[in-house]
Amino acid sequence: MTEGLVLAELRRWATERPDASALDDGRRTVTWSELWEWVAGGAAELRGRGVRAGDRLALDGVDPVGTVAWFLAADWCGAAALVCDPAWSAAETKHILAAARPTHHVETSRTPRFGSDLSLADDENVEFYLGTTSGSTGGPKVFGRTRRSWHESYPVFTDVTGMTVDDTVLSGGRLSTSGGIFAVTHAISVGARCLLLPDWSPAKAAARAAEATVAHLIPAMLAALVPVWEVEPAAHLRMILTVGAKLDRDLEIRAEKALPGCQVVEYYGSSEQSVVSVRTTEPAATVGRPPSTVDIEIRDDGGQPVGAAEEGEIWVRSALLFAGYLTNGVRVDAGEWVSVGDRGLLREDGSLVVVGRGAATVVSGGTKVSAEEVEAVLRAAPGVAEAVVVALPHPWLGAVVAAVLQPEPGTVLHRRALRAHTAVRLSAGKRPRRWFTVDRIPLTTSGKIARAAVQDRWPDVRPLR
């Protein structure tokens, strides 16, 4: 290939449909030709700043259109882009940048000053995207994906959605997430107009959805929009894609009733694995079947494959997998098979059932939260002797983060002080929403937190005021 797939298609649409709308964030509209010129100019400016293939860029700013344009400009140069999120705490930002070690920082609200017809980096195995996912005690993990991994995910979504240049796509996810930026770049690859949300609110999202034919939403967003649509349906929506948490069947039924003729498609995956399975007509208890390019194995605790309908850890092999995690700028390559700790089973018909997330992971509103990361922050709070984070079920968010704290002897903990402590150390989606205390947090014989035992002894847990 002579250029990245996204850029090749962007050049095509800029030539064939120069004046058609490519991106629209509600404040401004950018045509295909304007987006191409911005990306080309950005690539020229990056080259002028010394950016070369293999470099890593941190994109800073709150302008969604600019973020997309500079993201593609980085790709033009063969550089990997990390989209920084203003919602990250200072501690999270410091940790993420230390892991990624970007060579350059770009302010995305600024348009480039010059451009030229430069050659494009053509290595499909070059690092293309840097993202973040839940970490352990040290904070979020930073991972890399190659151009090839990213691009080979496109056909899966094109086949499922049937998306064409006639579609208008609403991307509900933040651009700092792999799902959010992927939805936008996939729309660009097929020539569909893409609607961006600078910030989330049900009213703003509903207004944008009125123009859309396809929407990417997490279940929590869908739950907020369905009541609006029950009063005033989004007349053009033909498909909603959801990911991030198991879709509640009652919510799915309400959405389908509110939007007759609109298909709700659920898919399951992770930042590291990309898409693993897609549910269209399969039973609601499942997360559908894997695409033909994805292999799934269910393994027992000893790492051996189990039989059909037997529960175990979900392992995935495909060309869509991430390249590996980064520490101090050094990437440790992932293996042929990847697991994120989720547990499930494969039914006789080949459909996948997810029966539980990794033991130390809470998925809340599409945000994958490491219990260990939150626990480390809580243990550093004055008066806290021990802490454990558990998931409490929630009808829309899937689960909420709950903190169970063991006070130091003679100490009285106060929820307001603990909230202030976490507010400067954790982004909003990771902060506990429910607070409890207990005389003693149970431990295993090896001295580790017995998470299951905390849930079993819930009657001993007291709300923290």
Side-chain angles (χ1 to χ4, degrees), residues 153-187:
S153 301
Y154 289 156
V156 175
F157 287 87
T158 302
D159 290 346
V160 169
T161 62
M163 201 183 297
T164 71
V165 295
D166 296 322
D167 280 299
T168 296
V169 179
L170 173 64
S171 176
R174 301 190 308 276
L175 294 178
S176 59
T177 66
S178 57
I181 193 69
F182 179 86
V184 179
T185 59
H186 175 251

Side-chain angles (χ1 to χ4, degrees), residues 66-389:
T67 295
V68 174
W70 284 103
F71 184 89
L72 296 175
D75 181 38
W76 192 313
C77 297
L82 168 71
V83 180
C84 298
D85 193 329
W88 291 342
S89 68
E92 287 171 322
T93 301
K94 181 179 179 181
H95 174 85
I96 290 167
L97 294 179
R101 292 291 177 96
T103 54
H104 298 79
H105 287 256
V106 177
E107 170 52 56
T108 61
S109 61
R110 186 179 51 79
T111 54
R113 290 165 294 180
F114 59 88
S116 62
D117 188 14
L118 301 174
S119 61
L120 295 101
D122 60 0
D123 185 358
E124 279 290 278
N125 294 311
V126 72
E127 203 171 59
F128 167 84
Y129 171 75
L130 302 180
T132 63
T133 188
S134 62
S136 57
T137 54
K141 292 180 181 178
V142 177
F143 66 90
R145 284 186 65 182
T146 65
R147 231 189 215 165
R148 184 182 303 280
S149 155
W150 195 267
H151 291 163
E152 291 195 9
S153 301
Y154 289 156
V156 175
F157 287 87
T158 302
D159 290 346
V160 169
T161 62
M163 201 183 297
T164 71
V165 295
D166 296 322
D167 280 299
T168 296
V169 179
L170 173 64
S171 176
R174 301 190 308 276
L175 294 178
S176 59
T177 66
S178 57
I181 193 69
F182 179 86
V184 179
T185 59
H186 175 251
I188 291 172
S189 75
V190 299
R193 176 187 180 218
C194 191
L195 307 177
L196 306 172
L197 294 175
D199 49 71
W200 166 262
S201 78
K204 291 178 181 177
R208 301 315 323 266
E211 305 175 55
T213 57
V214 177
H216 290 257
L217 304 168
I218 62 173
M221 293 176 175
L222 182 60
L225 286 169
V226 164
V228 180
W229 290 335
E230 287 174 334
V231 177
E232 187 174 353
H236 304 295
L237 268 181
R238 64 175 184 82
M239 180 171 288
I240 297 170
L241 296 105
T242 72
V243 71
K246 184 73 185 86
L247 180 60
D248 179 75
R249 179 56 179 161
D250 291 338
L251 175 60
E252 184 177 7
I253 291 171
R254 284 183 64 189
E256 290 171 341
K257 287 182 177 179
L259 302 172
C262 180
Q263 182 182 12
V264 179
V265 174
E266 176 183 20
Y267 67 98
Y268 159 74
S270 68
S271 298
E272 295 94 331
Q273 299 162 322
S274 187
V275 61
V276 174
S277 64
V278 181
R279 182 174 69 85
T280 52
T281 60
E282 293 80 8
T286 77
V287 288
R289 292 181 174 83
S292 60
T293 55
V294 175
D295 295 323
I296 297 176
E297 260 188 15
I298 308 298
R299 300 180 183 177
D300 61 21
D301 293 341
Q304 297 302 309
V306 301
E310 290 187 53
E311 181 183 326
E313 189 172 349
I314 302 170
W315 287 81
V316 177
R317 177 177 64 183
S318 79
L320 316 182
L321 299 180
F322 79 135
Y325 296 116
L326 280 69
T327 302
N328 295 324
V330 178
R331 192 182 77 205
V332 177
D333 290 344
E336 181 183 11
W337 289 86
V338 169
S339 170
V340 294
D342 290 356
R343 298 185 66 81
L345 58 89
L346 280 170
R347 303 194 336 166
E348 296 284 357
D349 64 1
S351 59
L352 177 67
V353 176
V354 178
V355 298
R357 296 283 180 169
T361 302
V362 179
V363 180
S364 180
T367 298
K368 197 165 130 185
V369 182
S370 165
E372 293 174 340
E373 178 187 352
V374 180
E375 288 161 359
V377 170
L378 293 172
R379 289 190 194 102
V384 175
E386 186 56 275
V388 60
V389 165

Side-chain angles (χ1 to χ4, degrees), residues 374-451:
V374 180
E375 288 161 359
V377 170
L378 293 172
R379 289 190 194 102
V384 175
E386 186 56 275
V388 60
V389 165
V390 297
L392 291 186
H394 189 279
W396 295 344
L397 299 174
V400 293
V401 177
V404 181
L405 307 174
Q406 177 184 320
E408 292 179 348
T411 300
V412 177
L413 299 176
H414 298 282
R415 186 168 57 181
R416 180 176 296 179
L418 290 162
R419 282 178 169 170
H421 175 81
T422 58
V424 297
R425 294 167 175 83
L426 295 169
S427 55
K430 298 179 181 179
R431 298 171 201 160
R433 294 196 177 205
R434 304 285 301 278
W435 298 84
F436 303 90
T437 61
V438 67
D439 292 336
R440 182 170 296 278
I441 289 174
L443 303 177
T444 66
T445 54
S446 62
K448 296 181 180 180
I449 293 172
R451 298 180 189 280

Side-chain angles (χ1 to χ4, degrees), residues 18-63:
D19 300 323
S21 172
L23 300 177
D24 185 334
D25 66 0
R27 300 169 183 170
R28 62 174 166 176
T29 296
V30 175
T31 66
W32 290 107
S33 60
E34 289 170 338
L35 180 58
W36 175 257
E37 290 168 2
W38 189 334
V39 173
E45 185 171 322
L46 292 177
R47 290 275 180 86
R49 290 174 55 180
V51 174
R52 296 294 181 266
D55 284 352
R56 293 169 177 159
L57 276 61
L59 306 184
D60 300 296
V62 296
D63 176 17

